[in-house]
Amino acid sequence: MDDFIKQCQTALIEKGFEPGPVDGICGPQTRQAIIAFQTRSGLEADGMVGPLTMKVLFGNELPIEIFDQGQLSPHFKREEFRCCCQGRYCTGFPAEMNQLLIAKLENIRCQLDSAIIVTSGVRCVIRNREVGGIENSRHLSGGAVDCYAPGFSVYQLKQAAENQGLCVILYEEQGFCHLQL
Ligand SMILES: [Zn+2]
């Protein structure tokens, strides 16, 4: 069950679309309704509720709790991207996460309908060196994320990320993907 999907389903019904029951599951019927809504609204009909679709769908009634402090997208909190040096070398955010990357990550999350676990977001220079990151790693500027999707293989995650136009480095043995713009 997913409260955000429920809110989308309710909003779609109010606008005369047919996403099926308000069950919080983003199944084929809900996806079809999102596509129909996007088509009618002149949005890119990708069947996913990204930031733009969300704006048009909810208008002034944007679900407030989704945008409370520290929420970067419906499913991702800023905290999830904090530098993993745990305060040893920086205050956690030497850079902010790139918004386009977050939007694409949100789309992947909705496409897979699975949680995405972030193992590394922003990194400070010292931490980046410590974990063996390359010198000009995109992690330093918030333009990269390491993550995995429980229940999905790294190959499935890679495919979903590539569908969003992201560059992917596969860490098969470690079981995660490095995604960047
Ligand atoms: Zn740090």
Side-chain angles (χ1 to χ4, degrees):
M1 271 204 325
D2 186 310
D3 283 344
F4 176 64
I5 301 295
K6 276 189 183 175
Q7 285 169 322
C8 289
Q9 288 168 330
T10 304
L12 284 165
I13 291 168
E14 281 169 3
K15 293 190 183 310
F17 295 90
E18 293 173 2
V22 179
D23 55 8
I25 299 165
C26 196
Q29 212 179 339
T30 297
R31 204 160 304 239
Q32 275 310 313
I34 295 168
I35 289 170
F37 170 75
Q38 287 172 322
T39 304
R40 199 190 68 179
S41 308
L43 296 159
E44 190 190 346
D46 59 5
M48 291 179 274
V49 184
L52 203 58
T53 298
M54 205 153 62
K55 221 172 189 172
V56 181
L57 183 60
F58 293 105
N60 291 329
E61 288 153 37
L62 268 172
I64 303 254
E65 66 271 29
I66 288 173
F67 289 99
D68 62 2
Q69 212 190 351
Q71 198 80 28
L72 298 182
S73 78
H75 292 98
F76 293 96
K77 290 189 169 66
R78 182 170 177 264
E79 272 306 304
E80 296 176 63
F81 302 90
R82 177 181 283 279
C83 176
C84 52
C85 76
Q86 297 183 324
R88 278 178 293 158
Y89 317 122
C90 76
T91 55
F93 288 94
E96 291 296 327
M97 286 303 293
N98 181 291
Q99 290 185 1
L100 182 60
L101 179 61
I102 296 295
K104 288 175 182 285
L105 200 59
E106 177 68 31
N107 284 343
I108 296 167
R109 197 264 169 229
C110 292
Q111 192 190 328
L112 296 178
D113 197 16
S114 156
I116 304 262
I117 310 296
V118 176
T119 57
S120 182
V122 179
R123 279 183 209 153
C124 60
V125 176
I126 300 175
R127 181 59 178 166
N128 185 58
R129 211 171 288 151
E130 204 171 65
V131 298
I134 55 171
E135 197 161 321
N136 57 350
S137 168
R138 296 277 178 90
H139 284 285
L140 299 172
S141 57
V145 62
D146 295 345
C147 59
Y148 65 94
F152 289 86
S153 72
V154 283
Y155 300 101
Q156 288 169 307
L157 178 57
K158 178 175 188 276
Q159 187 58 59
E162 284 175 347
N163 291 346
Q164 293 296 321
L166 290 172
C167 298
V168 181
I169 303 172
L170 206 61
Y171 289 87
E172 194 183 351
E173 279 182 26
Q174 295 92 329
F176 70 87
C177 288
H178 168 100
L179 313 181
Q180 70 179 47
L181 291 165

PDB file of all heavy atoms in Angstrom, residues 120 123-141 143-144 146 169 171 178 180:
ATOM      1  N   SER A 120      24.689   5.486  -1.123  1.00  0.00           N
ATOM      2  CA  SER A 120      25.564   6.651  -1.124  1.00  0.00           C
ATOM      3  C   SER A 120      24.986   7.747  -2.006  1.00  0.00           C
ATOM      4  O   SER A 120      24.646   7.515  -3.160  1.00  0.00           O
ATOM      5  CB  SER A 120      26.967   6.266  -1.622  1.00  0.00           C
ATOM      6  OG  SER A 120      27.820   7.393  -1.568  1.00  0.00           O
ATOM      7  N   ARG A 123      28.779  13.064  -1.263  1.00  0.00           N
ATOM      8  CA  ARG A 123      30.007  12.716  -0.535  1.00  0.00           C
ATOM      9  C   ARG A 123      30.913  13.938  -0.439  1.00  0.00           C
ATOM     10  O   ARG A 123      31.056  14.681  -1.409  1.00  0.00           O
ATOM     11  CB  ARG A 123      30.811  11.651  -1.281  1.00  0.00           C
ATOM     12  CG  ARG A 123      30.320  10.246  -1.077  1.00  0.00           C
ATOM     13  CD  ARG A 123      31.262   9.309  -1.828  1.00  0.00           C
ATOM     14  NE  ARG A 123      30.576   8.112  -2.265  1.00  0.00           N
ATOM     15  CZ  ARG A 123      30.945   7.399  -3.323  1.00  0.00           C
ATOM     16  NH1 ARG A 123      31.982   7.778  -4.054  1.00  0.00           N
ATOM     17  NH2 ARG A 123      30.275   6.319  -3.659  1.00  0.00           N
ATOM     18  N   CYS A 124      31.529  14.082   0.733  1.00  0.00           N
ATOM     19  CA  CYS A 124      32.560  15.118   0.836  1.00  0.00           C
ATOM     20  C   CYS A 124      33.862  14.564   0.251  1.00  0.00           C
ATOM     21  O   CYS A 124      33.993  13.356   0.035  1.00  0.00           O
ATOM     22  CB  CYS A 124      32.743  15.575   2.286  1.00  0.00           C
ATOM     23  SG  CYS A 124      33.241  14.296   3.443  1.00  0.00           S
ATOM     24  N   VAL A 125      34.803  15.450  -0.005  1.00  0.00           N
ATOM     25  CA  VAL A 125      36.037  15.055  -0.683  1.00  0.00           C
ATOM     26  C   VAL A 125      36.781  13.964   0.090  1.00  0.00           C
ATOM     27  O   VAL A 125      37.233  12.973  -0.492  1.00  0.00           O
ATOM     28  CB  VAL A 125      36.956  16.294  -0.880  1.00  0.00           C
ATOM     29  CG1 VAL A 125      38.289  15.884  -1.483  1.00  0.00           C
ATOM     30  CG2 VAL A 125      36.263  17.307  -1.786  1.00  0.00           C
ATOM     31  N   ILE A 126      36.865  14.134   1.409  1.00  0.00           N
ATOM     32  CA  ILE A 126      37.630  13.170   2.209  1.00  0.00           C
ATOM     33  C   ILE A 126      36.960  11.797   2.201  1.00  0.00           C
ATOM     34  O   ILE A 126      37.601  10.766   2.005  1.00  0.00           O
ATOM     35  CB  ILE A 126      37.804  13.670   3.660  1.00  0.00           C
ATOM     36  CG1 ILE A 126      38.539  15.011   3.657  1.00  0.00           C
ATOM     37  CG2 ILE A 126      38.587  12.644   4.490  1.00  0.00           C
ATOM     38  CD1 ILE A 126      38.668  15.662   5.025  1.00  0.00           C
ATOM     39  N   ARG A 127      35.648  11.794   2.390  1.00  0.00           N
ATOM     40  CA  ARG A 127      34.923  10.525   2.382  1.00  0.00           C
ATOM     41  C   ARG A 127      35.014   9.855   1.011  1.00  0.00           C
ATOM     42  O   ARG A 127      35.162   8.638   0.905  1.00  0.00           O
ATOM     43  CB  ARG A 127      33.457  10.758   2.757  1.00  0.00           C
ATOM     44  CG  ARG A 127      32.609   9.491   2.796  1.00  0.00           C
ATOM     45  CD  ARG A 127      33.153   8.492   3.790  1.00  0.00           C
ATOM     46  NE  ARG A 127      32.307   7.285   3.850  1.00  0.00           N
ATOM     47  CZ  ARG A 127      32.698   6.150   4.428  1.00  0.00           C
ATOM     48  NH1 ARG A 127      33.887   6.075   4.988  1.00  0.00           N
ATOM     49  NH2 ARG A 127      31.892   5.110   4.460  1.00  0.00           N
ATOM     50  N   ASN A 128      34.939  10.659  -0.013  1.00  0.00           N
ATOM     51  CA  ASN A 128      35.022  10.118  -1.369  1.00  0.00           C
ATOM     52  C   ASN A 128      36.360   9.413  -1.580  1.00  0.00           C
ATOM     53  O   ASN A 128      36.422   8.325  -2.145  1.00  0.00           O
ATOM     54  CB  ASN A 128      34.842  11.237  -2.394  1.00  0.00           C
ATOM     55  CG  ASN A 128      34.806  10.711  -3.815  1.00  0.00           C
ATOM     56  OD1 ASN A 128      33.963   9.881  -4.152  1.00  0.00           O
ATOM     57  ND2 ASN A 128      35.730  11.159  -4.636  1.00  0.00           N
ATOM     58  N   ARG A 129      37.419  10.043  -1.078  1.00  0.00           N
ATOM     59  CA  ARG A 129      38.752   9.445  -1.180  1.00  0.00           C
ATOM     60  C   ARG A 129      38.790   8.152  -0.371  1.00  0.00           C
ATOM     61  O   ARG A 129      39.306   7.131  -0.804  1.00  0.00           O
ATOM     62  CB  ARG A 129      39.774  10.453  -0.652  1.00  0.00           C
ATOM     63  CG  ARG A 129      41.139  10.361  -1.333  1.00  0.00           C
ATOM     64  CD  ARG A 129      42.017  11.519  -0.912  1.00  0.00           C
ATOM     65  NE  ARG A 129      41.593  12.798  -1.493  1.00  0.00           N
ATOM     66  CZ  ARG A 129      41.787  13.978  -0.922  1.00  0.00           C
ATOM     67  NH1 ARG A 129      42.359  14.058   0.263  1.00  0.00           N
ATOM     68  NH2 ARG A 129      41.391  15.089  -1.510  1.00  0.00           N
ATOM     69  N   GLU A 130      38.185   8.211   0.806  1.00  0.00           N
ATOM     70  CA  GLU A 130      38.186   7.074   1.732  1.00  0.00           C
ATOM     71  C   GLU A 130      37.515   5.830   1.135  1.00  0.00           C
ATOM     72  O   GLU A 130      37.969   4.710   1.341  1.00  0.00           O
ATOM     73  CB  GLU A 130      37.450   7.486   3.014  1.00  0.00           C
ATOM     74  CG  GLU A 130      37.820   6.724   4.246  1.00  0.00           C
ATOM     75  CD  GLU A 130      37.202   7.372   5.484  1.00  0.00           C
ATOM     76  OE1 GLU A 130      35.959   7.397   5.610  1.00  0.00           O
ATOM     77  OE2 GLU A 130      37.955   7.867   6.319  1.00  0.00           O
ATOM     78  N   VAL A 131      36.427   6.042   0.406  1.00  0.00           N
ATOM     79  CA  VAL A 131      35.714   4.888  -0.169  1.00  0.00           C
ATOM     80  C   VAL A 131      36.235   4.550  -1.564  1.00  0.00           C
ATOM     81  O   VAL A 131      35.665   3.706  -2.260  1.00  0.00           O
ATOM     82  CB  VAL A 131      34.179   5.116  -0.228  1.00  0.00           C
ATOM     83  CG1 VAL A 131      33.619   5.296   1.169  1.00  0.00           C
ATOM     84  CG2 VAL A 131      33.822   6.298  -1.113  1.00  0.00           C
ATOM     85  N   GLY A 132      37.300   5.223  -1.965  1.00  0.00           N
ATOM     86  CA  GLY A 132      37.914   4.886  -3.247  1.00  0.00           C
ATOM     87  C   GLY A 132      37.202   5.461  -4.451  1.00  0.00           C
ATOM     88  O   GLY A 132      37.324   4.938  -5.559  1.00  0.00           O
ATOM     89  N   GLY A 133      36.451   6.528  -4.237  1.00  0.00           N
ATOM     90  CA  GLY A 133      35.782   7.188  -5.364  1.00  0.00           C
ATOM     91  C   GLY A 133      36.790   7.911  -6.238  1.00  0.00           C
ATOM     92  O   GLY A 133      37.841   8.322  -5.752  1.00  0.00           O
ATOM     93  N   ILE A 134      36.469   8.035  -7.516  1.00  0.00           N
ATOM     94  CA  ILE A 134      37.379   8.757  -8.403  1.00  0.00           C
ATOM     95  C   ILE A 134      37.407  10.234  -8.023  1.00  0.00           C
ATOM     96  O   ILE A 134      36.465  10.742  -7.415  1.00  0.00           O
ATOM     97  CB  ILE A 134      36.978   8.608  -9.899  1.00  0.00           C
ATOM     98  CG1 ILE A 134      35.528   9.040 -10.137  1.00  0.00           C
ATOM     99  CG2 ILE A 134      37.203   7.173 -10.368  1.00  0.00           C
ATOM    100  CD1 ILE A 134      35.154   9.133 -11.596  1.00  0.00           C
ATOM    101  N   GLU A 135      38.488  10.904  -8.391  1.00  0.00           N
ATOM    102  CA  GLU A 135      38.735  12.246  -7.893  1.00  0.00           C
ATOM    103  C   GLU A 135      37.610  13.235  -8.203  1.00  0.00           C
ATOM    104  O   GLU A 135      37.220  14.019  -7.363  1.00  0.00           O
ATOM    105  CB  GLU A 135      40.057  12.761  -8.454  1.00  0.00           C
ATOM    106  CG  GLU A 135      40.591  13.958  -7.685  1.00  0.00           C
ATOM    107  CD  GLU A 135      42.076  14.163  -7.937  1.00  0.00           C
ATOM    108  OE1 GLU A 135      42.807  13.150  -8.024  1.00  0.00           O
ATOM    109  OE2 GLU A 135      42.480  15.314  -8.077  1.00  0.00           O
ATOM    110  N   ASN A 136      37.102  13.168  -9.437  1.00  0.00           N
ATOM    111  CA  ASN A 136      36.035  14.114  -9.802  1.00  0.00           C
ATOM    112  C   ASN A 136      34.659  13.431  -9.795  1.00  0.00           C
ATOM    113  O   ASN A 136      33.805  13.720 -10.613  1.00  0.00           O
ATOM    114  CB  ASN A 136      36.313  14.729 -11.175  1.00  0.00           C
ATOM    115  CG  ASN A 136      36.465  13.663 -12.243  1.00  0.00           C
ATOM    116  OD1 ASN A 136      36.542  12.468 -11.916  1.00  0.00           O
ATOM    117  ND2 ASN A 136      36.496  14.054 -13.503  1.00  0.00           N
ATOM    118  N   SER A 137      34.474  12.506  -8.855  1.00  0.00           N
ATOM    119  CA  SER A 137      33.215  11.758  -8.749  1.00  0.00           C
ATOM    120  C   SER A 137      32.002  12.687  -8.716  1.00  0.00           C
ATOM    121  O   SER A 137      32.025  13.727  -8.054  1.00  0.00           O
ATOM    122  CB  SER A 137      33.235  10.911  -7.474  1.00  0.00           C
ATOM    123  OG  SER A 137      31.947  10.405  -7.219  1.00  0.00           O
ATOM    124  N   ARG A 138      30.947  12.274  -9.401  1.00  0.00           N
ATOM    125  CA  ARG A 138      29.710  13.064  -9.394  1.00  0.00           C
ATOM    126  C   ARG A 138      29.057  13.090  -8.003  1.00  0.00           C
ATOM    127  O   ARG A 138      28.203  13.906  -7.729  1.00  0.00           O
ATOM    128  CB  ARG A 138      28.704  12.489 -10.400  1.00  0.00           C
ATOM    129  CG  ARG A 138      29.152  12.554 -11.836  1.00  0.00           C
ATOM    130  CD  ARG A 138      28.875  13.926 -12.440  1.00  0.00           C
ATOM    131  NE  ARG A 138      29.358  13.995 -13.798  1.00  0.00           N
ATOM    132  CZ  ARG A 138      28.625  13.670 -14.870  1.00  0.00           C
ATOM    133  NH1 ARG A 138      27.377  13.313 -14.730  1.00  0.00           N
ATOM    134  NH2 ARG A 138      29.149  13.734 -16.078  1.00  0.00           N
ATOM    135  N   HIS A 139      29.473  12.151  -7.151  1.00  0.00           N
ATOM    136  CA  HIS A 139      28.938  12.157  -5.789  1.00  0.00           C
ATOM    137  C   HIS A 139      29.286  13.466  -5.068  1.00  0.00           C
ATOM    138  O   HIS A 139      28.549  13.921  -4.205  1.00  0.00           O
ATOM    139  CB  HIS A 139      29.502  10.984  -4.978  1.00  0.00           C
ATOM    140  CG  HIS A 139      28.887   9.661  -5.307  1.00  0.00           C
ATOM    141  ND1 HIS A 139      27.610   9.300  -4.889  1.00  0.00           N
ATOM    142  CD2 HIS A 139      29.351   8.604  -6.019  1.00  0.00           C
ATOM    143  CE1 HIS A 139      27.332   8.080  -5.320  1.00  0.00           C
ATOM    144  NE2 HIS A 139      28.363   7.632  -6.017  1.00  0.00           N
ATOM    145  N   LEU A 140      30.393  14.061  -5.437  1.00  0.00           N
ATOM    146  CA  LEU A 140      30.845  15.294  -4.779  1.00  0.00           C
ATOM    147  C   LEU A 140      29.883  16.453  -5.021  1.00  0.00           C
ATOM    148  O   LEU A 140      29.746  17.344  -4.194  1.00  0.00           O
ATOM    149  CB  LEU A 140      32.246  15.686  -5.275  1.00  0.00           C
ATOM    150  CG  LEU A 140      33.375  14.682  -5.012  1.00  0.00           C
ATOM    151  CD1 LEU A 140      34.641  15.123  -5.720  1.00  0.00           C
ATOM    152  CD2 LEU A 140      33.621  14.540  -3.520  1.00  0.00           C
ATOM    153  N   SER A 141      29.227  16.426  -6.165  1.00  0.00           N
ATOM    154  CA  SER A 141      28.346  17.544  -6.523  1.00  0.00           C
ATOM    155  C   SER A 141      26.866  17.175  -6.455  1.00  0.00           C
ATOM    156  O   SER A 141      26.009  17.936  -6.898  1.00  0.00           O
ATOM    157  CB  SER A 141      28.700  18.029  -7.937  1.00  0.00           C
ATOM    158  OG  SER A 141      28.590  16.950  -8.850  1.00  0.00           O
ATOM    159  N   GLY A 143      25.428  14.749  -8.045  1.00  0.00           N
ATOM    160  CA  GLY A 143      24.938  14.305  -9.353  1.00  0.00           C
ATOM    161  C   GLY A 143      24.995  12.803  -9.555  1.00  0.00           C
ATOM    162  O   GLY A 143      24.875  12.330 -10.682  1.00  0.00           O
ATOM    163  N   ALA A 144      25.185  12.064  -8.462  1.00  0.00           N
ATOM    164  CA  ALA A 144      25.225  10.602  -8.579  1.00  0.00           C
ATOM    165  C   ALA A 144      24.626   9.970  -7.333  1.00  0.00           C
ATOM    166  O   ALA A 144      24.610  10.579  -6.252  1.00  0.00           O
ATOM    167  CB  ALA A 144      26.663  10.122  -8.761  1.00  0.00           C
ATOM    168  N   ASP A 146      24.286   5.914  -5.441  1.00  0.00           N
ATOM    169  CA  ASP A 146      24.425   4.456  -5.420  1.00  0.00           C
ATOM    170  C   ASP A 146      23.187   3.903  -4.733  1.00  0.00           C
ATOM    171  O   ASP A 146      22.782   4.412  -3.684  1.00  0.00           O
ATOM    172  CB  ASP A 146      25.665   4.028  -4.618  1.00  0.00           C
ATOM    173  CG  ASP A 146      26.961   4.484  -5.274  1.00  0.00           C
ATOM    174  OD1 ASP A 146      26.922   4.871  -6.457  1.00  0.00           O
ATOM    175  OD2 ASP A 146      28.001   4.451  -4.588  1.00  0.00           O
ATOM    176  N   ILE A 169      26.613   2.483 -13.713  1.00  0.00           N
ATOM    177  CA  ILE A 169      27.749   1.588 -13.507  1.00  0.00           C
ATOM    178  C   ILE A 169      27.258   0.486 -12.578  1.00  0.00           C
ATOM    179  O   ILE A 169      26.724   0.764 -11.497  1.00  0.00           O
ATOM    180  CB  ILE A 169      28.964   2.314 -12.876  1.00  0.00           C
ATOM    181  CG1 ILE A 169      29.384   3.497 -13.759  1.00  0.00           C
ATOM    182  CG2 ILE A 169      30.126   1.335 -12.696  1.00  0.00           C
ATOM    183  CD1 ILE A 169      30.440   4.394 -13.134  1.00  0.00           C
ATOM    184  N   TYR A 171      27.570  -2.563 -10.081  1.00  0.00           N
ATOM    185  CA  TYR A 171      28.448  -3.223  -9.103  1.00  0.00           C
ATOM    186  C   TYR A 171      27.768  -4.535  -8.734  1.00  0.00           C
ATOM    187  O   TYR A 171      27.053  -4.622  -7.733  1.00  0.00           O
ATOM    188  CB  TYR A 171      28.658  -2.330  -7.879  1.00  0.00           C
ATOM    189  CG  TYR A 171      29.529  -1.126  -8.179  1.00  0.00           C
ATOM    190  CD1 TYR A 171      28.969   0.048  -8.681  1.00  0.00           C
ATOM    191  CD2 TYR A 171      30.906  -1.177  -7.986  1.00  0.00           C
ATOM    192  CE1 TYR A 171      29.761   1.150  -8.989  1.00  0.00           C
ATOM    193  CE2 TYR A 171      31.713  -0.080  -8.288  1.00  0.00           C
ATOM    194  CZ  TYR A 171      31.137   1.075  -8.782  1.00  0.00           C
ATOM    195  OH  TYR A 171      31.920   2.166  -9.082  1.00  0.00           O
ATOM    196  N   HIS A 178      25.454   2.321  -9.548  1.00  0.00           N
ATOM    197  CA  HIS A 178      25.822   3.749  -9.481  1.00  0.00           C
ATOM    198  C   HIS A 178      25.062   4.429 -10.614  1.00  0.00           C
ATOM    199  O   HIS A 178      25.221   4.057 -11.767  1.00  0.00           O
ATOM    200  CB  HIS A 178      27.332   3.897  -9.634  1.00  0.00           C
ATOM    201  CG  HIS A 178      27.794   5.304  -9.877  1.00  0.00           C
ATOM    202  ND1 HIS A 178      28.308   6.100  -8.871  1.00  0.00           N
ATOM    203  CD2 HIS A 178      27.810   6.060 -11.003  1.00  0.00           C
ATOM    204  CE1 HIS A 178      28.632   7.291  -9.386  1.00  0.00           C
ATOM    205  NE2 HIS A 178      28.337   7.290 -10.674  1.00  0.00           N
ATOM    206  N   GLN A 180      24.048   8.060 -12.543  1.00  0.00           N
ATOM    207  CA  GLN A 180      24.337   9.496 -12.653  1.00  0.00           C
ATOM    208  C   GLN A 180      23.762  10.060 -13.933  1.00  0.00           C
ATOM    209  O   GLN A 180      23.434   9.325 -14.866  1.00  0.00           O
ATOM    210  CB  GLN A 180      25.843   9.750 -12.539  1.00  0.00           C
ATOM    211  CG  GLN A 180      26.659   9.253 -13.735  1.00  0.00           C
ATOM    212  CD  GLN A 180      28.138   9.559 -13.568  1.00  0.00           C
ATOM    213  OE1 GLN A 180      28.729   9.325 -12.508  1.00  0.00           O
ATOM    214  NE2 GLN A 180      28.746  10.096 -14.615  1.00  0.00           N
TER     215      GLN A 180
END
